[in-house]
Amino acid sequence: MSTLLAGALGAGKHSLDFSVPQQGTVIVLCALTALISHLALAVFNDGVRPFMLDFIQGRSTRNATTAVSFGLSAGFIFGLGAPMALSTGVLNPWLLFLPTDVLGILSPKKWLAPLLGGAWGALVVFGLGGANEVAHDLPVDFLTAMQQMATPILFLFTLFPVLAITRQFGRLRGAVVGVVELALVILTMKLWPDVFAGAPAMAVGVIMLIGFATAKDVRQRRKERAERAEQAEQTEKAEQAEKSGKAQQAGGDGQSDGTGDGKGVSEAELEDPMLSLFSASATRLRRHLPLFMLLGAGVCLLAQMHIFGGGEATSFLIAKGDHTGAAQVDFYRVFGFIPLIATTALASGAYAIAGFTFVYPIGYLLPSPWLALIVGAAVFAVEVLALSWIGRMLGRLPSVRDSSEHLRNAISESLWLAILFGSLLAANTMGGGLGILIVGGLYLLNEAMGRVVVRMAAAPAAVLVGGVLLNLLYWMDLFTPVKG
């Protein structure tokens, strides 16, 4: 485990000097994602996707949709995406795909969108390395200090299944899962020190959550079937008694009032509007299947090159070279986002740039870039073609669908605490008490001002601003950098 931590803490020493194939992949993929965003076929930001239906149907202008996309994305781009990339030496989706969302929607012409996206990709691969070198040469090296975020992120992230289970199924089950996860972390650190200790614990936690939710849905469906059978039996008896009474009064003519047929038609009509919307959206996405397959191939190839991490914890694991651990972490995250992505895609007609994100863990583990292209295209093809079926299945499993929401909230809460705590550790490393005062003060000021910067990104952004201020104070001979 000490080897893993040493590698994670040294992640910032990874250079951002990319090879020519890596540079080309990033630029082409950014161009492609901007084009797809321009066509309103997919966006990365989950918060923007619900607004895409109005844009697709012409009820919202391009400028208005661009404003929404930028407003929901800017904080993550500059407060989370850029700091994480600079501190780990690994690219991430907030830095690559959120800007191409904005640029693609902003572009008034179809041909301009890929040019803007490609330009952003070029800026990232050619400009980020220079910024990284300049920052490391400063008297107060705040990028190296940001490596202090690694340990809190890697370990506190492990607890997200415990939080989700506690909120959905109560404190008792949450406590049991918490004890199980703690025991697994200790056992893994003792027996397999080179394995990321949180991976087995997260696996068991997610499996237990899905098991609890599935069991609840199965029990509920059995109960509903029993109730329907009982109601049907009572209705049949009532109808027979009514027919028998009418037959006696009218001489046994046996005429039917047809109420059963009318009821069936009414139920179908109630379901038609939603089914029609989902069907139209799924059909729209399937029409562009080749473009989505190309997108899946590109994202999977980028993950296979090991210059990209799909999440905060994943970025540190990729930087350390623990590709198996990174694949496990991103695989467990998938279960928190499948229902959200599927339902918003079916409701809006716009898919997710990374799909269900299965291409992330698959890409990390594949040995060949050519294999990554083929598998990535195949995964996206399956996802797009299966959207309607997934939507129907989620409608039948409400507890599993609710588990997804609890997982997403738990992931956000655990990462928020980890990033905040890690940012304060970074502040202490680069400036001691003064660093904590500046970084913590900026974070609290952001909270008091109504969160001008989104909460998740506020602490890393404060570290960057604090690092700049400490360097200015050093040049003014008002501050001496902390040694060691």
Side-chain angles (χ1 to χ4, degrees):
M1 198 62 202
S2 59
T3 303
L4 183 143
L5 290 178
L9 293 173
K13 298 178 182 177
H14 284 60
S15 68
L16 283 162
D17 295 327
F18 304 104
S19 66
V20 173
Q22 291 170 344
Q23 292 171 351
T25 299
V26 172
I27 293 171
V28 171
L29 183 58
C30 285
L32 177 61
T33 53
L35 173 62
I36 290 175
S37 173
H38 172 83
L39 298 174
L41 291 174
V43 289
F44 180 77
N45 195 321
D46 294 322
V48 174
R49 200 171 304 117
F51 294 92
M52 297 304 291
L53 181 62
D54 286 341
F55 177 62
I56 292 169
Q57 296 181 349
R59 295 193 299 267
S60 178
T61 65
R62 186 171 293 277
N63 289 339
T65 309
T66 300
V68 170
S69 180
F70 181 79
L72 294 175
S73 303
F76 287 102
I77 296 170
F78 302 108
L80 188 61
M84 288 296 296
L86 288 169
S87 60
T88 63
V90 176
L91 301 177
N92 57 70
W94 306 286
L95 182 64
L96 294 183
F97 302 146
L98 287 180
T100 57
D101 279 359
V102 179
L103 293 172
I105 299 172
L106 172 67
S107 175
K109 301 293 183 181
K110 182 178 178 180
W111 59 267
L112 183 59
L115 293 181
L116 293 175
W120 175 259
L123 179 63
V124 169
V125 295
F126 294 118
L128 212 57
N132 188 55
E133 292 178 4
V134 170
H136 282 302
D137 290 337
L138 292 172
V140 179
D141 185 357
F142 51 86
L143 293 185
T144 299
M146 288 185 73
Q147 297 313 305
Q148 297 295 325
M149 295 171 61
T151 303
I153 287 176
L154 288 174
F155 282 91
L156 287 177
F157 183 71
T158 303
L159 293 173
F160 76 86
V162 178
L163 301 181
I165 289 172
T166 302
R167 285 208 167 87
Q168 187 173 7
F169 297 104
R171 288 175 288 183
L172 178 60
R173 291 186 183 182
V176 170
V177 176
V179 171
V180 171
E181 284 206 5
L182 178 60
L184 283 172
V185 168
I186 296 172
L187 189 65
T188 304
M189 294 174 70
K190 183 68 175 178
L191 300 180
W192 306 287
D194 292 332
V195 175
F196 171 44
M202 279 188 285
V204 171
V206 171
I207 290 171
M208 292 180 75
L209 173 63
I210 295 174
F212 291 151
T214 303
K216 182 178 179 180
D217 282 334
V218 169
R219 289 194 301 269
Q220 183 63 29
R221 288 179 67 83
R222 287 176 179 171
K223 180 180 178 181
E224 290 175 353
R225 281 198 297 267
E227 290 176 351
R228 285 197 298 267
E230 183 178 354
Q231 290 176 355
E233 183 179 355
Q234 292 176 353
T235 301
E236 184 178 357
K237 290 180 179 178
E239 288 178 349
Q240 289 177 352
E242 184 179 355
K243 288 179 180 178
S244 176
K246 288 183 177 180
Q248 293 176 357
Q249 293 177 0
D253 58 4
Q255 294 179 353
S256 172
D257 60 3
T259 55
D261 293 339
K263 182 178 180 181
V265 172
S266 177
E267 290 177 351
E269 288 174 351
L270 286 174
E271 292 177 356
D272 278 345
M274 186 58 71
L275 291 175
S276 176
L277 175 61
F278 278 21
S279 177
S281 297
T283 301
R284 177 177 187 266
L285 296 176
R286 286 196 296 267
R287 281 202 304 267
H288 297 89
L289 187 61
L291 195 57
F292 281 115
M293 293 176 67
L294 183 61
L295 175 63
V299 176
C300 194
L301 174 62
L302 184 66
Q304 193 277 333
M305 289 179 165
H306 301 148
I307 60 171
F308 173 89
E312 299 87 348
T314 313
S315 294
F316 286 107
L317 291 170
I318 291 291
K320 179 260 176 187
D322 186 2
H323 305 139
T324 301
Q328 288 178 294
V329 170
D330 271 354
F331 179 73
Y332 304 142
R333 288 175 65 116
V334 169
F335 296 100
F337 290 90
I338 286 180
L340 172 68
I341 293 171
T343 52
T344 55
L346 289 170
S348 68
Y351 197 40
I353 287 294
F356 292 137
T357 71
F358 280 116
V359 287
Y360 291 166
I362 291 172
Y364 302 149
L365 299 177
L366 290 176
S368 162
W370 297 109
L371 189 59
L373 289 171
I374 296 171
V375 174
V379 168
F380 258 53
V382 171
E383 289 181 5
V384 172
L385 293 174
L387 266 178
S388 295
W389 177 82
I390 293 172
R392 290 194 297 270
M393 287 299 297
L394 290 173
R396 298 172 185 172
L397 299 171
S399 295
V400 173
R401 189 174 63 247
D402 292 344
S403 294
S404 170
E405 184 176 351
H406 287 292
L407 274 177
R408 289 196 310 276
N409 293 335
I411 288 171
S412 296
E413 288 182 15
S414 58
L415 285 175
W416 163 72
L417 178 61
I419 291 172
L420 175 60
F421 186 64
S423 296
L424 291 175
L425 289 177
N428 183 64
T429 299
M430 67 184 185
L434 180 60
I436 292 176
L437 173 64
I438 293 174
V439 172
L442 288 172
Y443 180 85
L444 292 174
L445 181 62
N446 182 69
E447 290 284 307
M449 295 172 64
R451 296 177 187 164
V452 178
V453 179
V454 290
R455 202 177 203 186
M456 188 77 74
V463 174
L464 292 184
V465 175
V468 173
L469 290 176
L470 289 174
N471 278 290
L472 290 175
L473 292 174
Y474 169 80
W475 287 322
M476 296 168 64
D477 201 23
L478 297 173
F479 169 70
T480 301
V482 176
K483 301 298 182 182

